[in-house]
Amino acid sequence: MPWPRLRLDFHGKKEEELLKQLEDLKVELSQLRVAEVTGGAAPKLSKIRVVYKSIAHVLTIINQTQKENLRQFYKGKKYKTLDLRPKKMHAMHRRLNKHEENPKTKKQQRNEWLYPLRKHRVKTGASGHQQNKQTGQKKKKKIQEHKNMRNLLFTMERPVWLEY
Amino acid sequence: MNPPRRNKLDHYASIKVTSTTESAVKKIKDNSTLVFTVDVKVNKHQIKQAVKKLCDVDMAKVSTLIRPDGEKKVCVPLAHDHDALNVANKIGII
């Protein structure tokens, strides 16, 4: 801290106390200003800044707590005062809701829920062949062919998924 | 709408300083008037209230003028039962 600060603890005080403190500080400031005009001593002159800043400090705390209390009061309510509403761009407040933008009928919603778009995956490799319990000659040949094909596929540059 | 903002031009902010120039001091002694430098946006009614509150005096009149450098100067002749010298001493000017 380059200059001395008034070590007053403002947090945790009640509103009346804070307001009274504010009054006292303002009176002190006016007295200091008189001293400034009549050619006061150096410590008085340097104190002006300190008092000035602590007035600002008290006011900040008063306003902050007031705002906080207001937010608590309006929490959950539908209509808040304008300064408590979320601050976005001018245009964003005037846009349609998500719900209003893409409205769906109940019928459509129900259908979408009942019959969603299914995604299928193709099993390749050993897991795909566990279903083949028989290991006849033909099957073996087929397996070998399949393996060859698979190796070929994986050596190709673009992945090509085929159903086996 | 938004809640009303606090009044930023209260008594302490309206009266900036009591004037201590030679002519001002002369006025205090001879004419029993106080001279203040005041915020430009303040009107006579507000000045009356502020001076009443800060100095505890009754005044006969309030006359204002705006100085060439943009400051508002206020001349406040006090009521008969008040002495400007005492008030000035109390404030700390003299």
Side-chain angles (χ1 to χ4, degrees):
Chain A
M1 300 271 147
W3 55 83
R5 291 266 172 100
L6 280 180
R7 303 223 172 273
L8 297 170
D9 185 29
F10 299 121
H11 287 279
K13 284 200 177 175
K14 290 185 201 173
E15 198 191 332
E16 306 102 37
E17 287 182 32
L18 281 174
L19 287 173
K20 191 174 173 293
Q21 189 114 62
L22 194 63
E23 281 264 340
D24 293 339
L25 284 170
K26 284 192 179 176
V27 167
E28 205 181 334
L29 186 65
S30 60
Q31 286 170 355
L32 287 172
R33 287 215 192 275
V34 168
E36 190 184 19
V37 167
T38 57
K44 273 200 172 180
L45 292 180
S46 64
K47 212 182 173 200
I48 274 189
R49 197 200 173 102
V50 174
V51 174
Y52 202 42
K53 293 292 179 184
S54 44
I55 288 174
H57 192 41
V58 174
L59 278 172
T60 307
I61 290 169
I62 290 173
N63 289 330
Q64 274 180 350
T65 48
Q66 264 186 7
K67 205 66 180 278
E68 222 182 283
N69 290 336
L70 275 178
R71 279 193 201 276
Q72 286 281 329
F73 175 68
Y74 279 104
K75 200 169 188 179
K77 294 199 181 177
K78 188 176 181 191
Y79 294 115
K80 305 178 185 175
T81 51
L82 290 178
D83 56 340
L84 296 180
R85 296 187 198 180
K87 191 157 190 209
K88 300 184 193 165
M89 285 175 1
H90 186 85
M92 283 177 87
H93 278 294
R94 283 152 185 76
R95 282 204 223 143
L96 293 173
N97 270 348
K98 241 186 188 176
H99 302 288
E100 292 164 352
E101 243 178 336
N102 304 316
K104 290 180 185 165
T105 55
K106 273 234 154 150
K107 186 176 176 184
Q108 194 184 0
Q109 279 179 25
R110 187 164 172 276
N111 277 335
E112 280 183 1
W113 189 74
L114 284 177
Y115 312 114
L117 185 69
R118 311 282 299 190
K119 283 187 180 175
H120 297 272
R121 280 211 199 104
V122 170
K123 278 183 178 174
T124 56
S127 60
H129 283 280
Q130 269 166 16
Q131 295 170 20
N132 286 338
K133 296 245 171 110
Q134 297 170 331
T135 51
Q137 277 283 329
K138 270 191 181 176
K139 286 275 176 183
K140 270 190 178 171
K141 234 186 180 179
K142 254 197 172 178
I143 287 166
Q144 193 56 40
E145 270 180 33
H146 169 80
K147 275 190 182 171
N148 293 339
M149 201 58 189
R150 233 187 76 223
N151 289 334
L152 202 90
L153 282 175
F154 285 132
T155 52
M156 288 162 75
E157 282 174 13
R158 279 174 61 220
V160 177
W161 303 113
L162 294 173
E163 191 153 351
Y164 274 96
Chain B
M1 284 307 298
N2 299 343
R5 290 197 201 169
R6 69 179 178 96
N7 180 26
K8 292 197 179 168
L9 203 62
D10 57 350
H11 301 300
Y12 300 101
S14 48
I15 295 184
K16 286 188 188 174
V17 142
T18 321
S19 192
T20 48
T21 57
E22 273 184 29
S23 58
V25 171
K26 200 173 173 200
K27 275 207 167 113
I28 291 173
K29 289 182 181 169
D30 299 344
N31 302 344
S32 181
T33 69
L34 295 171
V35 183
F36 298 104
T37 311
V38 136
D39 193 270
V40 193
K41 297 171 229 136
V42 179
N43 55 26
K44 283 186 183 179
H45 303 285
Q46 288 173 348
I47 292 163
K48 202 164 187 176
Q49 282 177 13
V51 173
K52 215 173 223 172
K53 197 194 166 203
L54 297 183
C55 308
D56 297 324
V57 285
D58 291 322
M59 47 212 105
K61 199 183 178 186
V62 175
S63 56
T64 62
L65 67 89
I66 296 184
R67 287 211 300 253
D69 59 349
E71 308 272 2
K72 200 173 218 173
K73 187 162 83 174
V74 165
C75 213
V76 178
L78 304 176
H80 284 297
D81 45 345
H82 289 284
D83 188 18
L85 260 180
N86 291 340
V87 181
N89 278 327
K90 208 169 51 154
I91 298 174
I93 315 165
I94 300 182

